[in-house]
Amino acid sequence: MTSIELLTDALAAYRSGDRDQAAELTAQAGLAGSTLADELRTYLAADDSAPVYDQPSAFTAFIRGGGNVELYRALSAELAARYDAGKPDSLLDLGCGDGLAVVPALEQASHLPPRIDLVEPSAALLEGVHERVPSAQCWQSTAQDFLARDDLGWDFVQSTFALQSIEPEQRAEVLRALQPRTGTLVLAEFDVPEFEEGSPEHLRSLVERYERGVAEYGEDATLVAQGFLLPVLLGIVSGQQRTNWEHPASVWAEQLTTAGFTDVDVTPLADYWWSPAVLITAC
C-alpha cells in the first residue's frame, strides 16, 4: 500500500475511535516516506486534546509562512486595487485578525477610505491591527453582535477567510444584515471540493492536501503541524471541536443570492495547498 492509502485508512480508524489502529497504520506510512505520517505519529503519541489555538506561535508560523505568503500578497494587492477603483468613503472589515490582509492593502492603495471600521473578536489581535491603522474605529465583537448594534452602512465591506468560522445558519443572518447596508461586499474564501464527510474519497483528499501543506513549512513543519494543522485535521475527521464550515465557491454564491445580493461574481485569487482561493464579489 502507498503512504496515501495507509494514511487514508489511518484517518478512517481514527474516525471510528480506534487510535491504536490509526497509530499502527501511521507508522507504516512513515516508513513509506510520508512527512505527514511522521508528524501524525508524534501527535497521536501525545495528548491531542488541546484546543486548535493553544499554541499561538504555531498559528503565527502557519499564517505568515508557507503558501500563505503568496496568498496574502495577492489578496492585499487585489483589495488595494478595488479601493482605488471604487474609492469608497467607508470600509468595514469583518474578522480582520491582526490586519494581515487589510493593513498591506491600505498601505498599497492610493485611496484611503475616510471611515474604516475593523471588527475582530480577539482583543489581542485587534490591538495589533489598531496600532497599524490608528485612524480606524476598532470593535472587539463578533460579526453577529456588531451588526445587531446599529444601522451603519458601508460602501465597501470585506471579510477574508473569516465568515467560514460562523456556523451556516448564523452566517445567513450576517449576510442578510449586510445586504441592505453594503455597497460592495468582497469575500476571500476557499473553493473547497465537496465530499460526503468521512467517506474514503474525503479522507484521501484530506491526506493528499495536508501532505502538501505540511511540506511547505520546511524547518517550521513540526511547529505548524503539531500546534495547528493536525488539531484542525483530526477535528475535521472526528467531527468534534469543529471551527470551520467551508463550501465550494458555488455554495457561497448561492448563500449570497439567498441573502438578497443580486450581482455575485467569483474570480480566482491564488493556488493554495488546501484548495484554490477565490474572491467572491456581491452587490
Side-chain angles (χ1 to χ4, degrees):
M1 296 178 70
T2 67
S3 63
I4 290 176
E5 292 169 330
L6 288 164
L7 282 174
T8 299
D9 288 347
L11 294 186
Y14 185 90
R15 181 178 176 85
S16 70
D18 191 344
R19 285 185 57 131
D20 291 340
Q21 178 70 0
E24 181 179 338
L25 291 166
T26 298
Q28 294 177 35
L31 293 175
S34 166
T35 302
L36 174 60
D38 291 339
E39 295 295 344
L40 185 56
R41 184 177 68 250
T42 299
Y43 191 86
L44 290 174
D47 176 15
D48 65 351
S49 63
V52 170
Y53 296 97
D54 192 51
Q55 297 187 38
S57 60
F59 182 72
T60 298
F62 164 73
I63 200 67
R64 298 190 181 279
N68 283 308
V69 175
E70 182 54 38
L71 172 62
Y72 277 88
R73 181 182 295 121
L75 173 56
S76 295
E78 185 65 34
L79 291 173
R82 295 186 182 215
Y83 302 161
D84 288 343
K87 293 181 171 51
D89 288 331
S90 52
L91 165 68
L92 168 65
D93 190 338
L94 286 173
C96 65
D98 68 351
L100 189 59
V102 68
V103 171
L106 291 170
E107 291 173 345
Q108 294 173 44
S110 299
H111 174 78
L112 188 67
R115 175 164 65 88
I116 301 173
D117 290 305
L118 304 178
V119 177
E120 167 58 42
S122 167
L125 294 177
L126 195 63
E127 182 179 356
V129 71
H130 196 194
E131 291 176 354
R132 302 168 69 190
V133 191
S135 63
Q137 176 68 52
C138 293
W139 308 83
Q140 184 189 350
S141 175
T142 65
Q144 301 93 305
D145 289 345
F146 175 74
L147 292 172
R149 67 190 304 162
D150 56 48
D151 59 355
L152 287 174
W154 300 270
D155 296 326
F156 193 99
V157 177
Q158 66 188 49
S159 186
T160 56
F161 310 112
L163 293 189
Q164 60 180 256
S165 298
I166 302 176
E167 185 274 329
E169 288 188 7
Q170 294 184 36
R171 185 196 305 149
E173 295 178 6
V174 168
L175 295 177
R176 283 195 297 268
L178 280 173
Q179 192 278 327
R181 299 157 64 179
T182 302
T184 298
L185 171 64
V186 175
L187 306 181
E189 289 293 347
F190 295 111
D191 185 12
V192 298
E194 192 166 34
F195 297 103
E196 178 186 349
E197 289 196 9
S199 67
E201 296 78 14
H202 179 222
L203 298 180
R204 182 184 180 94
S205 176
L206 290 174
V207 169
E208 292 173 340
R209 288 183 281 159
Y210 268 79
E211 191 78 72
R212 177 185 170 189
V214 170
E216 289 186 353
Y217 284 89
E219 62 183 19
D220 286 333
T222 294
L223 171 64
V224 171
Q226 300 299 317
F228 180 72
L229 287 179
L230 293 184
V232 172
L233 171 61
L234 295 181
I236 293 171
V237 171
S238 68
Q240 300 174 0
Q241 297 181 330
R242 185 165 183 170
T243 58
N244 296 84
W245 290 264
E246 296 180 291
H247 312 283
S250 59
V251 175
W252 283 101
E254 290 172 7
Q255 292 177 347
L256 288 162
T257 300
T258 300
F261 291 91
T262 57
D263 187 3
V264 182
D265 181 62
V266 179
T267 56
L269 175 62
D271 182 32
Y272 191 71
W273 66 267
W274 175 238
S275 290
V278 296
L279 284 181
I280 307 167
T281 305
C283 302

